[in-house]
Structure formats: structure tokens, C-alpha cells
Amino acid sequence: MEAGAEEAAVGLVVLEKPNGGCGASCMQYRLVVRDVNTLQILQLYTCLDQIQYIEWSSDSLFILCAMYKRGIVQVWSLEQPDWHCKIDEGSAGLVASCWSPDGRHILNTTEFHLRITVWSLCTKSVSYIKYPKACQQGIAFTKDGRYMAVAERRDCKDFISIFVCSDWQLLRHFDTETQDLFGIEWAPNGCVLAVWDTCLEYKVLLYSLDGRLLSTYRAYEWSLGVKSIAWSPSSQFLAIGSYDEKVRILNHVTWKKITEFEHPATIANTKTIVYKEVEKSPSVETERLSFPPTRALASSLFSTESKYDISQVPVSLQYIKPVADRANPKMGIGMLAFSPDNCFLATKNDNIPNAVWIWDIQKLKLFVVLEQLCAIQSFQWDPRQPRLAVCTGNSKVYLWSPAGCVSVQVPMEGDFQIVSLSWHSSGDSMALLSKDNFCLCYLEREEVK
Amino acid sequence: MGDWKTITVPVLSSDSKNIFQYTSEKKISPPSMNSQVLRLPLPSSKSMHSFFSAFCTEENIEQSISYLNRELTTLGFPSIYAESKGKELNLISIINCMNELLVLQHKNLRAQEEVEMQHLKLGSDMDHLQNCYAKLKEQLELSKREIVGLQERDRQLQSKNRTLHQLLKNEKDEVQKLQNIISSRATQYNHDMKRKEREYNKLKERLHQLVMNKKDKKIAMEVLNYVGRADGKRGAWRTDKTEARNEEEMYKVLLSDYEQRQNQLLVENAELKKVLQQMKKEIISLLPPQKQKPKERPEDGPVLSDLEEDIGELNKENMWELSCETVREQLTNSIRKQWRMLKNHVEKLDNQVSRVHSGALNEKDVISREDHELETEKLELEIQQCKEMIKTQQQLLQQQLMSPCDDDTTLLLQDCYLLEERERLQEEWRLFREQKKNFEKERRSFTEAAIRLGLERKAFEEDRGAWLKQQFLSMSTDYKHSENVTTPSAFLGSSDQDNQLVKSTSQQRKPYCTLSGPVSAEPWQTSRYITRNSSTAASTKPAGDSKPNQWVESDKEETE
């Protein structure tokens, strides 16, 4: 585990170059590119304003830095540090910005979602997409980068436009039967588009690539509906997490529910393994105590080590019932993620914020529950193998794999509260982000003979 | 029961001044009945005298006697007067009457006692019954009260039930109402949202117009130099052709995805069909061979013929592979049927087992569980023993094979199968050798006998020759004068004969010598056999002439 340098940055976003090698981090108005293995600064760029968002292009040659306040996007090249590009949206304002899959176009969403401008780095052409939908996931690219689906809203009705990314030609334009479209997501095979409605209405629609409605799924009426959706990597399953604390799995053949996973506060099934994080008091060697105590020693004294214990079933978890009169209540399934080998599904029930539920997809049963001491901030699967990394806002990162789970302390001086994490595409390392700092965690690969 | 106490009072006849008193007293426990009982009192001894004196005094003896007589006669007793008239009393009849009266009194007393006993019994019975009645009445009262209580509870519960039903209905109505409210509110909100959205859109349009009109030079992209495309190609114009191409590509993508899925499903389908076929076969084999086949055949018959008409010559296996609707249905139906039969069979077996377990044995079809277990144990033991035997045999075999040995013994061992034969052969050799020895011995003895015989013959011939000579000499002296011519011829003949004989004997002598050596077995054997015969004779009669002649002749024959 190597710790990164301390950097005070606002809106720190760390993205790793997809093809290994470099990691970028931004600090206020400076963009720092480091080597992933040595954390040595390779490049340093200065932008015009405070950077809110950075993104690598798909071929890892360019980085875009978006400054929403100024409405400017600056693009930097890694090969040619002298090359520069600035896109100014002016009075149109900027709300979101992203790369196109080919790495040569930038899609800017103007303020109030007036339009999406497609700027090309190769040609002088500019394309506009009118009436984009102001929702969480309004733009979706297929995995192979060929098609882009954009959610639009005209005359109080939702539409979806499918564009060909190579020449930005409109392929299909059709309306959806949603009240208020909340999000769209392509299946990994690029042939089916999942569209779901606002949480006031439980409705999931599945459209084929050519715009035909394949199926509609409604679990119930009136109660709060879909909170999160995830496709399995093989496109076989669609997991729908809803506000009623259940995950429903649809299969790709009939688009009907094959099972639903409940998240009760008491786990009674004896076949489920429950790992509970417990604190273990740190062993202090009195001989090594010195005065004044060094920072490292101080931090290690005050930081509590933790380990996992296997709890005996039945286990009752801490259940929180949210206040009824607030919007967007903290209940229901807020996070869903399939493992890359399609064997496991990790979920988080916001009513039980300290637990990660891992389901075995082959058996369609609950496999493991990780009970943490603090609330789960985020988790992410290793892109190569069924290994889950979890962070709960303290200075530990937790790893689970079918072989077991481990709690790793980040050896940082001072407080390092991990808020989010991000795996490298090779699965060998991951970046742990706190509000101001980040650190890279390297995982050793075991030699299996 | 009550205590009975009686006070007896003497009873007097009506026409005297005697007082009849009937009294009885008794102490009874409260619930029983009060009754007055008449009792005829027995006179006590003390009052008896006074009683008697009261009835009959010295003045009215006659009157009392006549009165007594009258009473007795009316009662049927004979008169106490002797003779019909007169005042003489018949003592005998008086005594008889008295006796009769006493007997009657006893009888009456007994009867009275019996009646009293029965009376007592009835009284106690009646008490008992009264008690029972009272208890039953109590119980009846209690149960009536209970019933009333339960009925009351039942009524309460029913009313509660009704209220709960009512509440439930109310709740349901409320839920329905709330749902209606929600839906109406939702439509209202949607409507309001739409209105607001339209307003918002209008504002956005306005803003957009303003933004576009301003012709903000700022909305631009400054780039040092344009970057090449990622894939190196040059940008193309958007034309109809490209549109068509895009469509085509899209459909290609979709089609390939569908094809892939279909292939997967086909593979899965084929596998499942195979598994079903296998299962069906196994189920058929599991089931006892009953009337399945005739059932199947008529079913398959018409359909088969139809399919065959349609498809042509195909065997059954191939037909299952087609995904015809009818074929698929057929397969699933036949599997279901077989499975049902198997289930029935298993259930039947279960029932049989449970029946056996519970004790009822059906000896025709079912072997009792204990017997079955015993049999299995026996069989297992046998199997164990056989296995052990096989193991030991294997071990021995291995030992033999593995034991170290040199070439000779290996050869011997390799020829172990011939050992027996070898043994046999050796036996035979032994026998042969023995025989050979015997024959040698015999041969030696024969040669010795032959030598002896030769010697004897020689001696005999010499004797014979000498004798003949003598004779001839004697004869010749006789006939020398008469027949000189003939006798010499005769002599010559005889001498020739003699010479011949001598020659033959001399000749024969040689063969003896030659024959004594080793000669081919056969002629020797035959000669031996002959010699054996002759030797037996020779041993008995060593100087026998005829035999030696025979022998010689035969020998001669042999040698020549």
C-alpha cells in the first residue's frame, strides 16, 4: 500500500488511464498527471478555473477538464503537452460534459438542459441535440461505443433518440410510455435499452436497438418505485432495486421476474455467512513509546484496528426507518452491482446502511452479508475477478472475495476518510479517495502454481 | 335409615274390657318418610299373667271356654269340648289347638319379620334414589348455568367477529378511498406538473432564442490544431447512403445477437431433449414390465404414420430431434405418463413396505422385512467370503509369480502343466524298465536252459549215434552177406539222415550260440515265448525228445 501525497483539492476526481500507467488528479485549477506505479508527476496543467470534473478519453490520449462555473471545457493532450483546446459555452452555461466513445467528441450539456452540443476535435462540425431530458442518466453509450441513446422530453412527453456515434446520425426516435423518465441504460450486448420511470411510478421498459418495445415491467403501484438498476455483464439479467427494500431480477428471455431478493433486518438462513466487523484493540509496545510521540505513532495509537468475525445466524442488523415526510427518503436499494464474472450481485439497502449484501446469482440465494461498523459509502467490484472493495468513510478499505474478507488499514498520517474508491482496469490496484486526498492501493497477485 | 323402636302392648278381644293399644315409636333421620306401622305386640312375661287373669276369672270359666271354643271353631280348629255336648274339655284337642295356634303364631311372626326386612330395604332404596335424584338435579342446574354462560360468550364473540368484520370492511373501504385519493391527487399533480413544465419549456425556448440571438462569439471552440480521428479515417458527409448503411449495421447487430441467442437456446433445447429421452428410457427400464408397451404402441401408431408420411423414412430417434409441435408434445406427454407410472409404482412399494412394517405380511408378493434383511446379510457374508477367497488366491498366484527362480526351475515351472504328464510318463518308464528287467532275467534263464538243452542234446545225439552205429554194425554183420547193396543205400540214407541230423544238430548248435547274443527283439521274443512254453515243458521234462524236436524244428524255421 502506497500512500499518495497530500493534496488539498476541491472536487477531486481521480481517474486512471484505462490502459494502465497514469492517473490524473486535479487540485483546484491544476491538473496533475502521475505515473500509477511510482506516483511521480508526469505532467502538470493549469486550467482557467476551478475544475469540477475530469475525464480521460477512451484511448487515454486526452483529458477533459470541465469548469461548470465558467462554462469552459479544456482538453489536454498527454502526447503533446503543448496542445490545448478550449470549449467555451458562454452564456449557454455548462451543466455536464463527457467524452464520446471514440475519444474525439465532447458532449456538453448546457444549462437548464437546453441542448447538448457535440463538439468535434477532428472537424469543425458542431451538432446539437435539442430537448435533452434533465434526469440523472440521460445519455447512455453502448459498450462498443457504436450507439448513443439520449433521453428527450418534448411537450411533456418522453422520447428517446438513438444516434450512431460515428457520424452522429439520428437512427431512431421513439416515445416512451413513461410518466417522467428517470434513467436509461444499455445492456452490455448493446441490443436492449432499459428505461425506467421516476420513483413515483414503478415502471421499467425494455426497448430493442431499433426502437421496438420489448417488454414492460411493473411490480406494484403507488408506492415509491425504482431506485437503482444494474445489468449483468452477460446481459442475461436485469436487477431492479426499489424503495420497498427488494431487488427483482428479470431474465433476458422472457423479461419476466425470475426472483426477488428481500433485505430483512433479521437474517435467519443458516447457509448465509455474516461477516461482522469488530474492533480489536491495538497492541501497544510500551518500549517503543517515546516522548514527544511521533505522528505515525500517534495515529496508529488512536486508530482502531478492525477485523472480521463470523456471526452466528440468526443475526439482526441495525435497521433505520427514515422520516416519512421528506422527499427522496433513505430507504430501499440504493446500490446495485454485478460482479464481472456474473456470479455475484452486491446490494445495499439504505434502510440498513451498515451492511453489504452479496447474492449468489447461480443459486439465486443470499450468500454473504458484510456488517460494518460505519455506514457504507461505496463499493465497487474488481473489473477482472469477483472481488469487492468497500469503503465506509473511515480510513480502512474492506475487500471481500469468495475466499474470505479482510479489512485493510490505510497507513496515512492523520485522518483519511475514504469516501469513494475506483479500481484500475487491470484489477491490480485501486484508488481510494477522500475529500482532499487520494491514495493508491496495490494488490499483490498470488502466484498460483 | 330409621331406628325402629316398638313398644308392645297386649292385644285383647273386643268384647272384654281390655284395651287395644297400638303404638309404635321410632326415631328416623330427617329426609326419610314418617310412617306409622302397625305391629302386633308380643306379650311380655310379666304382663302375661295379668292379661290372662283379665280374660278368664273363676266366675266366667265356662263362658271363656265356650268363647274360646267358638273362636277356635270359627278359625277352623276342632272343638275343644269332648263330644259335642257337655262341658268336658277334650285335653288333646285343646293341646292340639294350642300347638296349632303356636305354629300359626310363629309363622305369622316370621312373615312379619320378612315384611319388615323388605320394608327396610325399600326404605333404603328409596333414600338412595332420592339422593341420586338430588345430585342429578344439582348437576342439571350447573350444566344449565354453564350453557347459559357459554351461549353468552358465543354471543359476545360473534358480535366481536361482526364488529371486526365491519372494521375490516371499513379499513378496506378506507384503503380504497385512499387509493382513489392518491390516484386523483396523482393525476392532479401530473396535470400541474405538465402545466409547469410547459411554462418551463416556454421559458427555455425564450432563453434559447435569446442565447442564440445574442450570437455570442464566446460560444466557440479554440483548438490549436484539429486532431485526427481515433481510427485514422477521414470524416464522411452525412448522406442517405450513410443513413441506409447505419440502418443496415443496426439490423446486423440485432440479428447477430438474436442468432447467437437462438443458437444457445437450440443447444440447450437439444441437450434437454436428450436428457428427457434418457430419463424416459430409464424410467421405462425401472418400471416392472407391465402393460406399458401395448399402451404406447396404439398411441404412437397413428401419429407415427402421419409423421412418416410427412417426413419420410426416419427412425424414432431422429423424429424426437425435430422441433415439431406434435413431437414435442408427444415427448412431454410420454414422459409425464411414465413418470406417473413410476410414481404409482413407488407409492405401491411404499405402501407394501409400510404394511410389512406394521406387521401385516402378504406372503405371496412381499418378503417380510426381517427375512429380507436376513437374506441380504447372508448374501453379504457370502460375497465377503468369496471376495476373501479371491483375494487369497490372487495373493498366492502373485507369490508364485513373484518368487525368485533360475532358468531351469522356470522352465520346469513353465512346464508345470506337463508335470502330471511327466509323472505319468515316468511311472510308465519305471514299469517298462521293470518289465525289461524281468524279460532279461527270463532271457538269461532261457539261454541257460538252452545251453543245457544243447549240451543234453549233444550228449543224446552222441548216444544215438553210438547206438545207431552199434545197431548198424550189428545189422551190417547180419545183412552184409544178404543185402549189401540196399543197406548201404539204406545206411547212406540213414547215415545221411544221421549226417543230416548231425549236421542239423551241429548247425543248430551254432544258432544257439548266435542266438544267445543280443538279437532283434521280435524274433527273439517270439522264440522266447515259444521257448517259454517249451522251457516250461523242458523244465518239467528236460530230456523230452519230442519237444526238443519241435523246438529245434521251429527254431530252424525261425533261423531260416
Side-chain angles (χ1 to χ4, degrees):
Chain A
M1 172 83 88
E2 255 190 63
E6 281 185 45
E7 289 179 335
V10 175
L12 178 80
V13 173
V14 174
L15 289 160
E16 290 177 82
K17 188 173 165 184
N19 301 329
C22 309
S25 69
C26 63
M27 197 169 90
Q28 293 229 325
Y29 56 97
R30 257 199 278 267
L31 177 71
V32 182
V33 179
R34 296 168 190 270
D35 179 62
V36 158
N37 294 321
T38 61
L39 284 177
Q40 207 181 21
I41 297 178
L42 295 171
Q43 302 275 6
L44 190 67
Y45 302 103
T46 313
C47 295
L48 295 167
D49 196 16
Q50 215 174 45
I51 306 170
Q52 258 95 35
Y53 177 70
I54 59 173
E55 190 180 332
W56 283 94
S57 69
S58 54
D59 53 2
S60 313
L61 295 174
F62 300 97
I63 307 176
L64 75 79
C65 309
M67 291 142 265
Y68 297 144
K69 282 189 198 150
R70 275 282 297 273
I72 297 175
V73 172
Q74 276 187 289
V75 187
W76 305 101
S77 160
L78 274 162
E79 285 178 319
Q80 300 173 8
D82 304 325
W83 190 90
H84 63 88
C85 171
K86 183 179 86 169
I87 301 169
D88 195 346
E89 288 287 346
S91 40
L94 190 64
V95 170
S97 178
C98 66
W99 280 103
S100 73
D102 63 358
R104 295 289 179 270
H105 295 84
I106 294 173
L107 288 91
N108 284 344
T109 313
T110 57
E111 219 166 346
F112 303 116
H113 285 83
L114 279 179
R115 62 164 190 259
I116 296 178
T117 325
V118 183
W119 300 96
S120 165
L121 290 175
C122 329
T123 64
K124 290 193 188 146
S125 62
V126 181
S127 309
Y128 294 103
I129 300 172
K130 283 192 85 174
Y131 312 110
K133 178 104 198 210
C135 59
Q136 213 179 51
Q137 259 173 272
I139 306 176
F141 293 101
T142 58
K143 202 163 157 194
D144 53 7
R146 269 208 240 184
Y147 302 102
M148 173 178 84
V150 179
E152 299 176 7
R153 193 164 176 99
R154 292 167 212 251
D155 301 328
C156 311
K157 271 174 72 174
D158 293 317
F159 295 88
I160 290 192
S161 299
I162 300 184
F163 291 93
V164 182
C165 290
S166 50
D167 51 8
W168 304 110
Q169 207 166 33
L170 176 68
L171 190 63
R172 283 284 187 276
H173 181 80
F174 52 90
D175 67 327
T176 64
E177 293 163 14
T178 50
Q179 287 271 2
D180 186 8
L181 200 156
F182 196 67
I184 55 175
E185 191 167 332
W186 284 103
N189 66 3
C191 295
V192 181
L193 182 69
V195 173
W196 63 97
D197 213 340
T198 174
C199 58
L200 288 172
E201 186 99 15
Y202 193 127
K203 205 189 235 178
V204 176
L205 298 152
L206 291 140
Y207 288 95
S208 154
L209 177 58
D210 56 347
R212 288 174 299 125
L213 173 65
L214 293 172
S215 171
T216 313
Y217 179 67
R218 287 193 89 164
Y220 50 78
E221 273 192 298
W222 301 128
S223 293
L224 289 178
V226 177
K227 194 164 185 187
S228 54
I229 280 197
W231 281 99
S232 76
S234 61
S235 314
Q236 264 179 309
F237 303 112
L238 178 64
I240 306 172
S242 47
Y243 281 89
D244 64 346
E245 303 178 51
K246 286 192 201 163
V247 174
R248 291 174 178 83
I249 309 260
L250 308 185
N251 76 87
H252 73 309
V253 178
T254 59
W255 300 116
K256 293 224 180 346
K257 176 183 86 166
I258 51 173
T259 184
E260 58 182 45
F261 295 146
E262 288 191 15
H263 296 74
T266 315
I267 302 162
N269 188 1
T270 45
K271 293 200 183 147
T272 311
I273 311 170
V274 179
Y275 291 103
K276 192 182 161 80
E277 190 197 355
V278 290
E279 280 183 12
K280 65 178 184 196
S281 44
S283 55
V284 180
E285 294 148 0
T286 42
E287 301 89 63
R288 289 186 47 193
L289 278 176
S290 58
F291 191 81
T294 58
R295 272 178 92 187
L297 192 59
S299 59
S300 73
L301 273 178
F302 288 114
S303 69
T304 47
E305 296 271 310
S306 74
K307 61 177 176 127
Y308 278 106
D309 266 346
I310 296 184
S311 308
Q312 283 296 320
V313 167
V315 172
S316 65
L317 302 161
Q318 193 189 10
Y319 186 89
I320 296 175
K321 204 154 177 207
V323 189
D325 56 353
R326 290 269 181 84
N328 297 328
K330 277 200 169 46
M331 59 191 247
I333 311 298
M335 288 192 223
L336 276 179
F338 275 96
S339 69
D341 62 350
N342 212 15
C343 289
F344 300 105
L345 172 68
T347 65
K348 180 194 160 199
N349 182 1
D350 292 335
N351 281 94
I352 306 173
N354 291 10
V356 178
W357 307 64
I358 299 175
W359 305 82
D360 186 342
I361 294 299
Q362 285 173 328
K363 295 182 199 154
L364 291 178
K365 279 210 175 116
L366 179 59
F367 187 45
V368 164
V369 175
L370 299 175
E371 196 186 342
Q372 309 293 131
L373 290 168
C374 313
I376 312 280
Q377 296 290 326
S378 84
F379 55 71
Q380 200 179 32
W381 286 100
D382 182 333
R384 295 284 172 92
Q385 45 179 298
R387 193 158 55 169
L388 185 69
V390 181
C391 65
T392 63
N394 52 14
S395 59
K396 297 187 199 64
V397 67
Y398 306 92
L399 289 163
W400 175 86
S401 79
C405 60
V406 70
S407 136
V408 183
Q409 172 80 24
V410 173
M412 282 285 269
E413 297 163 2
D415 229 357
F416 184 67
Q417 285 168 336
I418 307 173
V419 171
S420 75
L421 47 83
S422 164
W423 282 93
H424 192 269
S425 54
S426 67
D428 286 333
S429 54
M430 63 177 161
L432 306 167
L433 302 153
S434 75
K435 252 175 76 177
D436 307 328
N437 311 329
F438 81 97
C439 96
L440 283 175
C441 165
Y442 301 96
L443 292 115
E444 278 173 11
R445 202 185 283 260
E446 254 184 46
E447 291 280 326
V448 178
K449 287 182 189 163
Chain B
M1 283 291 140
D3 297 329
W4 294 90
K5 212 202 246 177
T6 60
I7 300 170
T8 61
V9 163
V11 174
L12 302 165
S13 58
S14 54
D15 60 344
S16 63
K17 297 177 199 166
N18 301 323
I19 312 160
F20 290 89
Q21 288 181 9
Y22 302 86
T23 56
S24 63
E25 245 186 61
K26 60 183 175 126
K27 293 179 194 151
I28 323 163
S29 51
S32 57
M33 308 179 287
N34 291 325
S35 61
Q36 296 281 335
V37 178
L38 290 166
R39 282 211 74 178
L40 292 168
L42 274 167
S44 58
S45 55
K46 214 181 181 182
S47 54
M48 232 194 325
H49 293 296
S50 55
F51 170 61
F52 284 142
S53 56
F55 174 59
C56 182
T57 55
E58 284 168 11
E59 294 94 42
N60 57 354
I61 287 178
E62 295 285 334
Q63 286 163 351
S64 46
I65 288 173
S66 64
Y67 168 71
L68 278 176
N69 186 41
R70 260 207 319 277
E71 288 292 316
L72 287 169
T73 46
T74 51
L75 280 174
F77 288 105
S79 162
I80 55 174
Y81 286 128
E83 325 286 319
S84 53
K85 81 164 184 153
K87 294 174 190 166
E88 282 174 23
L89 294 170
N90 189 354
L91 194 63
I92 293 168
S93 70
I94 288 172
I95 289 167
N96 282 336
C97 289
M98 270 178 70
N99 186 39
E100 289 293 327
L101 285 170
L102 280 172
V103 166
L104 200 63
Q105 171 78 345
H106 283 308
K107 223 173 37 177
N108 287 336
L109 280 176
R110 272 204 296 275
Q112 195 179 340
E113 267 179 36
E114 272 178 39
V115 167
E116 276 178 10
M117 282 303 291
Q118 219 176 22
H119 194 252
L120 272 173
K121 271 193 208 154
L122 287 171
S124 65
D125 280 344
M126 187 109 83
D127 272 344
H128 175 66
L129 285 171
Q130 274 182 347
N131 285 337
C132 284
Y133 174 69
K135 271 194 205 143
L136 286 170
K137 221 165 146 183
E138 256 182 59
Q139 269 181 9
L140 186 68
E141 281 297 308
L142 269 170
S143 32
K144 270 193 191 154
R145 260 181 257 140
E146 246 183 74
I147 284 171
V148 165
L150 287 170
Q151 274 180 345
E152 183 61 41
R153 227 177 82 187
D154 181 44
R155 237 178 285 133
Q156 279 177 0
L157 287 171
Q158 271 195 352
S159 66
K160 213 168 158 188
N161 194 20
R162 253 180 274 124
T163 50
L164 283 171
H165 270 294
Q166 194 61 40
L167 278 172
L168 181 68
K169 216 171 81 173
N170 292 344
E171 291 295 322
K172 278 193 185 158
D173 288 337
E174 229 182 281
V175 163
Q176 193 60 41
K177 224 170 32 166
L178 283 169
Q179 278 194 342
N180 292 339
I181 289 171
I182 289 173
S183 61
S184 65
R185 278 180 92 106
T187 47
Q188 186 66 36
Y189 285 142
N190 285 338
H191 178 76
D192 279 342
M193 276 282 287
K194 284 214 177 96
R195 198 157 45 88
K196 288 212 163 58
E197 209 183 318
R198 275 189 216 109
E199 220 181 289
Y200 173 65
N201 283 340
K202 272 190 238 163
L203 283 168
K204 269 196 346 190
E205 285 291 334
R206 199 71 199 286
L207 184 65
H208 197 227
Q209 272 173 17
L210 287 169
V211 163
M212 294 313 285
N213 284 344
K214 254 192 167 179
K215 289 274 179 188
D216 217 337
K217 283 191 199 133
K218 279 202 225 164
I219 300 176
M221 181 170 89
E222 281 173 31
V223 64
L224 189 66
N225 54 293
Y226 286 106
V227 184
R229 283 169 66 92
D231 47 3
K233 285 193 221 155
R234 287 165 71 180
W237 293 106
R238 272 189 252 168
T239 57
D240 293 332
K241 224 174 22 170
T242 55
E243 224 177 275
R245 199 167 23 92
N246 286 332
E247 288 267 322
E248 213 184 286
E249 293 241 355
M250 176 188 81
Y251 282 125
K252 265 195 216 162
V253 165
L254 277 174
L255 276 172
S256 65
D257 180 60
Y258 280 133
E259 266 172 26
Q260 195 195 30
R261 257 201 274 163
Q262 196 190 12
N263 285 337
Q264 274 177 1
L265 287 170
L266 271 175
V267 163
E268 215 183 298
N269 230 11
E271 270 183 42
L272 287 170
K273 269 196 198 151
K274 247 192 276 175
V275 167
L276 278 176
Q277 276 289 100
Q278 260 181 357
M279 259 177 64
K280 189 174 142 198
K281 278 191 202 139
E282 280 174 18
I283 289 174
I284 291 174
S285 69
L286 272 178
L287 284 171
Q290 279 170 16
K291 349 134 193 176
Q292 317 148 14
K293 281 177 191 169
K295 264 192 201 171
E296 266 195 42
R297 293 264 171 72
E299 215 184 75
D300 294 342
V303 186
L304 269 177
S305 58
D306 281 339
L307 284 169
E308 279 186 42
E309 279 172 24
D310 289 337
I311 298 156
E313 268 187 334
L314 283 167
N315 55 353
K316 234 181 178 184
E317 294 291 318
N318 283 352
M319 270 196 282
W320 294 135
E321 282 175 10
L322 298 165
S323 54
C324 260
E325 185 77 26
T326 42
V327 174
R328 209 176 351 116
E329 273 177 26
Q330 230 178 33
L331 179 60
T332 48
N333 286 340
S334 62
I335 289 243
R336 276 204 204 106
K337 204 169 45 133
Q338 300 298 336
W339 181 251
R340 237 180 289 131
M341 280 202 260
L342 182 69
K343 212 171 59 164
N344 291 339
H345 185 65
V346 169
E347 275 170 12
K348 230 188 339 170
L349 287 172
D350 267 342
N351 288 341
Q352 279 180 354
V353 167
S354 64
R355 248 188 291 136
V356 164
H357 209 317
S358 65
L361 283 167
N362 189 1
E363 281 167 16
K364 287 181 215 165
D365 305 329
V366 176
I367 317 167
S368 75
R369 201 196 203 153
E370 293 87 26
D371 288 348
H372 190 253
E373 279 174 1
L374 280 168
E375 280 249 25
T376 46
E377 274 176 27
K378 256 195 287 174
L379 288 168
E380 274 172 13
L381 264 168
E382 267 186 60
I383 289 168
Q384 201 67 31
Q385 283 170 358
C386 292
K387 274 190 191 158
E388 276 167 16
M389 235 176 17
I390 290 169
K391 243 189 263 179
T392 46
Q393 283 193 354
Q394 261 187 345
Q395 272 176 6
L396 287 169
L397 199 69
Q398 286 248 334
Q399 256 179 16
Q400 283 204 357
L401 287 171
M402 298 304 276
S403 58
C405 44
D406 51 1
D407 287 327
D408 292 337
T409 44
T410 45
L411 280 169
L412 262 178
L413 279 172
Q414 278 171 6
D415 296 335
C416 67
Y417 296 110
L418 306 167
L419 238 146
E420 260 192 56
E421 273 193 50
R422 198 180 272 268
E423 292 277 319
R424 252 186 283 124
L425 275 171
Q426 279 179 353
E427 273 283 328
E428 277 177 20
W429 269 107
R430 206 171 37 80
L431 277 167
F432 177 68
R433 276 194 211 105
E434 270 184 38
Q435 276 180 1
K436 200 171 169 185
K437 266 188 227 155
N438 291 340
F439 287 146
E440 285 277 333
K441 261 192 250 162
E442 277 174 15
R443 200 218 291 171
R444 253 182 264 121
S445 61
F446 285 146
T447 45
E448 276 170 17
I451 290 167
R452 258 189 283 124
L453 209 59
L455 287 170
E456 278 176 9
R457 177 178 283 180
K458 195 176 161 190
F460 171 69
E461 288 294 326
E462 278 176 5
D463 283 338
R464 193 161 163 255
W467 183 75
L468 278 171
K469 219 190 226 174
Q470 274 181 11
Q471 271 239 306
F472 178 63
L473 282 171
S474 66
M475 272 175 66
S476 62
T477 53
D478 289 333
Y479 289 121
K480 225 172 194 180
H481 307 296
S482 57
E483 296 170 333
N484 285 347
V485 186
T486 54
T487 47
S489 59
F491 175 73
L492 279 167
S494 64
S495 69
D496 281 348
Q497 282 181 358
D498 282 340
N499 286 337
Q500 278 181 2
L501 279 167
V502 169
K503 277 183 193 165
S504 66
T505 51
S506 63
Q507 277 179 4
Q508 280 151 17
R509 239 178 268 147
K510 282 175 196 168
Y512 302 145
C513 302
T514 55
L515 279 173
S516 67
V519 176
S520 63
E522 249 185 57
W524 176 240
Q525 271 184 358
T526 49
S527 67
R528 263 171 65 194
Y529 290 136
I530 298 162
T531 56
R532 193 184 280 144
N533 290 332
S534 59
S535 72
T536 49
S539 59
T540 51
K541 292 176 195 173
D545 291 344
S546 55
K547 303 281 167 68
N549 281 336
Q550 282 177 12
W551 183 57
V552 165
E553 280 171 7
S554 64
D555 221 2
K556 206 169 141 190
E557 283 170 18
E558 294 302 324
T559 51
E560 285 174 3

